[in-house]
């Protein structure tokens, strides 16, 4: 994943599906509602989806919407259709690259995938943006779950078709699952590998059986994370190869045109079979969705000011604080808003590549992390816009705080002697400075002592590793807009005697090096669902540490962590899940696998004032493509032919 701003964007889509077919909310956009539901702070939901036949699927079985719901609450069901929206992306997944693309297949490891391709496919079920783990009918009109929650039957809509008019059948669903788990991107292939059996019982019935080791989250991935491909169209084609022809889809949009590395546009499909389904009513309102690519955020901001881009999510505090002062905004042609965001902020930071010997000692990692002066950087570089991240589950009830409660302690005791002793005390919190940059001597002295204890030694102004080699660090990036933040860290490291450099490479080289774990440190951000999801093993599991292209950026490979992950994935109650996740948070923070950065609980939106939007934004997503529409009177008043 690249870093082109202060708020690092999501590296993988997880959790309940987005309203957009074939996509997942980028790294679960879910807030505390799921956990609060069991505390009396959130009203109980009367609809249940457990064993048997149902209109919905949920990890814990509680659904907000009944079988006869007309539409999701957060949409305007009769929103007008038409017009164009031109934007960049705020999240990406699998092989997608936010600054370039060279293939129309973003479900494989190879190449740089195009943004928006998920809109061209349908999925079996679709998620709501006001629930964190619930799915509702899409291609599948109903679902049947066995008593042991291992066997799932999906009953397909006979009226559903691909864009060429050919019917979508159970054979296409089976083909899609089998293709992805054999040839797909490792991060989806690994999870679908836990589907023990997938079969077409008849043209409109699919049976899937989960492996005994699979959690119910695999069913959510199967239902909402698998794009349905045409088996006929792919016959004779290499799924793993580069793709320059748009594949046959079945979603609300289809590819209109594209220019590799520059832009890709999608047309809304007239007469789409899913348009009037409750999960899609009021959605897909733009006739054309276009993604434009820019080498950096500065160039894209200039394009936005000129109106080449019509919507922008801002990620840089300097620009938000100082540069939104241009004629179109001052004349009211451009609007901007700071929108509250209740979703988990996740874990953004500089990740150590612990596969490299120089980062193998936790004392070394702790020492290096101490050097970063967040308070100075936030005040000087980021206009005080952010809060310091402490947790891998920031801004969520999964964050460990203070000393372990009795339930967390009972879990941690199972691993005593195998996890850092610090995990049993106060959850690790980075030391705060006074923001002046003048109080660093005690911190640097303490960091130096840790390095010496780990076998490093000082030679003049240089810090040497235990091997006698100079201690050097290369920070890898593919965009230099994050340079000031790196330089603030680098200056501190230099005072410690560590020679650090900031290297910016092209997107292809960056993705290749990241896939092959060929880096010292880089910035990453992820967030995990507020329900037990096996995908968390992709971030911290031993199996993913050596898997090319995985999201285990730090290379965490620890048996105790693996066992904690199993407790999380196998949790059957919210309480068990919460306590196990907090225990994991304590252990990871005590291991010092990263240098935590920052987060904020709002989104910064700016747009040309030609759009309408619902009065209330749903809590678990940006919901722009899902719910906004073109306001023609506004567009005509601005003289914009959108």
């Amino acid at each position: 994943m690249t870093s082109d701003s202060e708020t690092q964007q999501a590296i993988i889509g997880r959790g309940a599906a987005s309203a957009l077919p074939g996509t997942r909310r980028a790294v679960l956009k879910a807030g505390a509602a799921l956990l609060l539901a069991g505390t009396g702070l959130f009203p109980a939901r009367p609809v249940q989806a457990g064993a048997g036949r149902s209109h919905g699927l949920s990890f814990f079985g509680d659904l907000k919407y009944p079988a006869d719901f007309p539409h999701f609450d957060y949409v305007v069901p009769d929103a007008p259709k038409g017009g164009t929206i031109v934007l960049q992306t705020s999240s990406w997944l699998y092989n997608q690259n936010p600054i370039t693309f060279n293939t129309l297949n973003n479900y494989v490891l190879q190449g740089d995938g195009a943004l928006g391709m998920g809109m061209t496919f349908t999925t079996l079920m679709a998620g709501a943006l006001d629930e964190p783990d619930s799915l509702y009918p899409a291609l599948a009109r109903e679902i049947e779950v066995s008593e042991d929650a291992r066997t799932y039957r999906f009953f397909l809509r006979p009226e559903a078709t691909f864009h060429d008019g050919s019917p979508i059948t159970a054979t296409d669903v089976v083909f899609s699952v089998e293709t992805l788990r054999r040839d797909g991107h490792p991060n989806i292939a690994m999870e679908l590998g836990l589907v023990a059996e997938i079969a077409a019982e008849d043209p409109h019935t699919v049976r899937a059986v989960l492996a005994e080791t699979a959690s119910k989250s695999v069913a959510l991935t199967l239902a909402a994370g698998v794009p349905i491909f045409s088996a006929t169209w792919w016959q004779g084609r290499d799924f793993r190869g580069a793709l320059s022809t748009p594949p046959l889809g079945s979603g609300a949009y289809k590819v209109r045109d594209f220019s590799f590395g520059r832009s890709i546009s999608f047309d809304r499909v007239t007469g789409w079979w899913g348009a009037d389904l409750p999960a899609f009513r009021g959605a897909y309102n733009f006739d054309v969705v276009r993604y434009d690519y820019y080498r950096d955020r500065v160039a894209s901001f200039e394009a936005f000011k000129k109106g080449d881009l019509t919507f922008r999510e801002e990620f840089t505090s300097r620009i938000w604080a100082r540069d939104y002062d241009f004629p179109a905004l001052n004349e009211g042609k451009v609007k901007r808003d700071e929108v509250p965001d209740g979703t988990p902020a996740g874990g953004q930071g500089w990740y150590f590549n612990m596969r490299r010997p120089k980062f193998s000692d936790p004392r070394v990692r702790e020492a290096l992390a101490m050097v970063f002066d967040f308070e100075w950087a936030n005040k000087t570089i980021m206009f005080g816009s952010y809060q310091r991240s402490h947790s891998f589950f920031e801004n969520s009830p999964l964050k460990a705080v203070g000393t372990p409660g009795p339930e967390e302690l009972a879990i941690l005791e199972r691993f005593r002697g195998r996890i850092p002793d610090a995990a049993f005390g106060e959850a690790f919190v980075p030391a705060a400075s006074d923001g002046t940059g003048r109080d660093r001597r005690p911190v640097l002295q303490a960091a130096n002592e840790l390095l010496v204890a780990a076998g490093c030694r000082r030679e003049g102004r240089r810090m040497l590793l235990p091997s006698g080699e100079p201690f050097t660090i290369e920070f890898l990036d593919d965009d230099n807009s994050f340079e000031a933040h790196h330089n603030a860290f680098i200056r501190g490291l230099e005072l410690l005697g560590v020679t650090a450099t900031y290297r910016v490479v092209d997107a292809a080289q960056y993705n290749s090096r990241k896939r092959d774990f060929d880096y010292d440190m880089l910035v990453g951000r992820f967030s995990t669902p507020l329900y037990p999801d096996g995908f968390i093993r992709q971030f911290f599991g031993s199996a993913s540490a050596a898997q090319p292209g995985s999201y285990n950026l730090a290379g965490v490979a620890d048996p105790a962590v693996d066992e904690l992950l199993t407790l999380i994935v196998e949790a059957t109650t919210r309480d068990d899940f919460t306590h196990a996740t907090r225990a994991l948070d304590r252990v990871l923070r005590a291991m010092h696998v990263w240098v935590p950065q920052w987060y904020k609980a709002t989104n910064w939106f700016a747009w040309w004032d030609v759009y309408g939007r619902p009065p209330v934004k749903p809590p678990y997503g940006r919901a722009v493509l899902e719910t906004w529409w073109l306001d023609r009177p506004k567009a005509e008043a601005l003289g914009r032919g959108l």
Side-chain angles (χ1 to χ4, degrees):
M1 183 182 74
T2 187
S3 170
D4 61 3
S5 58
E6 291 159 352
T7 303
Q8 179 73 338
Q9 292 145 50
I11 62 176
I12 181 67
R14 295 299 308 148
S18 165
L20 293 173
T23 67
R24 308 266 294 219
R25 285 202 304 280
V27 195
L28 186 71
K29 305 301 180 186
L34 179 61
L35 292 226
L36 294 178
T39 67
L41 300 177
F42 202 85
R45 294 172 180 167
V47 185
Q48 295 295 313
R53 198 152 171 166
S54 174
H55 71 291
L57 179 64
S58 170
F59 191 95
F60 292 112
D62 45 1
L63 300 168
K64 175 180 178 179
Y65 295 97
D68 59 350
F69 78 100
H71 56 79
F72 292 138
D73 289 345
Y74 51 82
V75 303
V76 174
D78 57 352
K81 307 293 185 183
T84 298
I85 186 169
V86 187
L87 68 166
Q88 287 183 291
T89 188
S90 59
S91 60
W92 51 94
L93 74 168
Y94 304 133
N95 70 346
Q96 288 179 333
N97 188 324
I99 61 176
T100 192
F101 73 104
N102 53 31
T103 179
L104 299 181
N105 187 353
N106 69 301
Y107 297 99
V108 293
L109 181 62
Q110 294 79 10
D112 297 309
L115 300 170
M117 289 304 296
M119 298 190 299
T120 70
F121 301 108
T122 191
T123 51
L124 290 167
M125 305 186 79
L129 296 179
D130 55 357
E131 292 181 277
D133 77 326
S134 297
L135 303 176
Y136 294 94
L139 173 60
R141 53 188 173 82
E142 284 185 307
I143 183 173
E144 183 180 85
V145 184
S146 65
E147 287 288 342
D148 63 0
R150 286 191 57 213
T151 301
Y152 295 78
R153 281 184 172 83
F154 299 92
F155 303 94
L156 309 187
R157 299 179 185 278
E159 70 271 22
T161 64
F162 290 103
H163 292 153
D164 66 353
S166 60
I168 305 174
T169 69
T171 299
D172 297 304
V173 176
V174 173
F175 167 80
S176 302
V177 173
E178 290 181 337
T179 299
L180 286 169
R181 68 182 180 184
R182 183 186 64 243
D183 298 329
H185 192 283
N187 291 314
I188 190 171
M190 176 178 287
E191 198 164 11
L192 292 180
L194 294 172
V195 178
E197 180 185 349
I198 183 81
E201 293 189 329
D202 62 49
H204 297 107
T205 307
V206 176
R207 183 185 75 254
V209 181
L210 305 189
E212 292 186 4
T213 56
S215 76
K216 288 190 291 185
S217 68
V218 176
L220 299 185
T221 296
L222 178 66
V226 174
I228 305 305
F229 305 127
S230 166
T232 300
W233 190 89
W234 279 100
Q235 188 173 2
R237 290 182 167 94
D238 180 9
F239 187 78
R240 292 169 295 181
L243 190 63
S244 58
T245 300
L248 180 61
S250 56
Y253 288 88
K254 60 183 178 180
V255 175
R256 176 178 183 162
D257 54 46
F258 63 92
S259 174
F260 280 134
R262 297 176 60 112
S263 70
I264 183 167
S265 298
F266 301 87
D267 280 333
R268 185 169 60 86
V269 176
T270 303
W272 180 51
W273 57 267
D276 292 325
L277 296 181
F280 304 133
R281 196 166 291 143
Y284 315 129
N285 299 318
F286 296 110
D287 279 350
V288 178
V289 175
R290 191 177 90 214
Y291 289 100
D292 282 354
Y293 289 76
Y294 295 89
R295 183 63 182 85
D296 56 56
R297 297 288 295 184
V298 174
S300 67
F301 183 57
E302 293 303 315
F304 173 73
K305 290 196 296 185
K306 293 189 299 182
D308 294 340
L309 293 173
T310 59
F311 175 87
R312 176 179 174 88
E313 184 172 2
E314 187 56 68
F315 295 101
T316 304
S317 57
R318 175 187 56 79
I319 294 178
W320 186 256
R322 299 195 322 195
D323 295 351
Y324 277 80
D325 181 17
F326 52 93
L329 186 137
N330 295 332
E331 295 166 8
K333 297 178 181 179
V334 169
K335 301 293 184 182
R336 66 173 183 158
D337 194 8
E338 186 165 358
V339 182
D341 184 2
T343 63
Q348 176 171 315
W350 286 283
Y351 283 81
F352 297 105
N353 186 357
M354 299 191 303
R355 303 168 186 85
R356 298 196 163 176
K358 60 185 169 184
F359 298 127
S360 62
D361 193 314
R363 292 170 295 186
V364 169
R365 302 192 298 268
E366 181 179 3
L368 298 177
M370 292 170 65
V371 173
F372 176 56
D373 188 348
F374 164 76
E375 286 72 23
W376 180 89
N378 191 39
K379 176 182 177 181
T380 307
I381 301 174
M382 299 184 291
F383 295 84
S385 300
Y386 295 93
Q387 301 178 57
R388 182 73 190 268
S389 291
H390 298 159
S391 166
F392 293 92
F393 305 95
E394 200 62 70
N395 200 37
S396 87
L398 304 179
K399 175 182 177 178
V401 178
T403 57
E407 296 88 353
E408 294 172 56
L409 191 58
I411 294 171
L412 293 169
E413 285 291 352
R414 306 183 199 183
F415 306 101
R416 189 176 284 277
R418 301 169 56 199
I419 59 176
D421 290 341
F424 294 90
E426 294 275 343
F428 178 79
V429 174
S433 76
D434 63 9
T436 65
R438 296 190 295 269
D439 63 343
R440 305 306 290 160
R441 184 177 295 276
V443 172
L444 291 171
Q445 182 177 346
N448 186 77
E449 291 172 357
L450 280 172
L451 290 175
V452 170
C456 298
R457 61 186 175 88
R458 194 75 175 250
E459 184 181 81
R461 294 186 176 182
R462 297 190 307 170
M463 182 66 68
L464 303 182
L465 292 164
S467 64
E469 300 173 274
F471 200 149
T472 63
I473 298 175
E474 180 188 81
F475 291 95
L476 185 67
D477 205 346
D478 65 353
D479 179 85
N480 63 6
S481 60
F482 217 11
E483 185 172 7
H485 310 75
H486 282 77
N487 286 342
F489 191 9
I490 288 170
R491 285 192 293 270
L493 292 171
E494 289 174 345
L495 293 174
L496 199 59
V498 176
T499 301
T501 57
Y502 178 54
R503 184 175 183 188
V504 178
V505 298
D506 62 64
Q509 184 179 354
Y510 178 85
N511 277 355
S512 175
R513 289 186 59 179
K514 182 165 68 71
R515 280 194 295 262
D516 296 336
F517 309 120
D518 181 18
Y519 53 84
D520 284 340
M521 297 180 71
L522 50 71
V523 178
R525 179 186 171 212
F526 66 89
S527 183
T528 54
L530 290 180
Y531 62 86
D533 189 343
F535 202 83
I536 194 173
R537 290 187 170 115
Q538 279 290 328
F539 302 123
F540 304 119
S542 295
S544 66
Q547 175 190 297
S550 87
Y551 300 113
N552 191 341
L553 301 179
V556 179
D558 185 279
V561 170
D562 290 339
E563 292 176 41
L564 277 168
L565 293 172
T566 297
L567 289 178
I568 292 170
V569 171
E570 294 182 352
T572 57
T573 69
R574 292 186 178 94
D575 285 345
D576 288 348
F577 168 60
T578 302
H579 298 318
T581 306
R582 289 176 180 171
L584 174 69
D585 191 33
R586 293 179 184 278
V587 171
L588 291 172
R589 288 158 69 177
M591 291 172 63
H592 303 288
V593 305
W594 68 334
V595 181
Q597 290 185 334
W598 48 81
Y599 74 97
K600 62 182 178 68
T602 58
N603 294 318
W604 291 329
F605 289 169
W607 65 96
W608 282 77
D609 191 22
V610 295
Y611 300 122
R613 55 176 177 163
V616 178
K617 171 185 167 293
Y620 308 140
R622 291 165 175 82
V624 176
L625 293 181
E626 292 90 340
T627 66
W628 289 31
W629 63 87
L630 179 74
D631 187 319
R632 289 200 178 277
K634 287 184 177 180
E636 291 171 1
L638 289 186
R640 294 187 62 91
L642 295 175

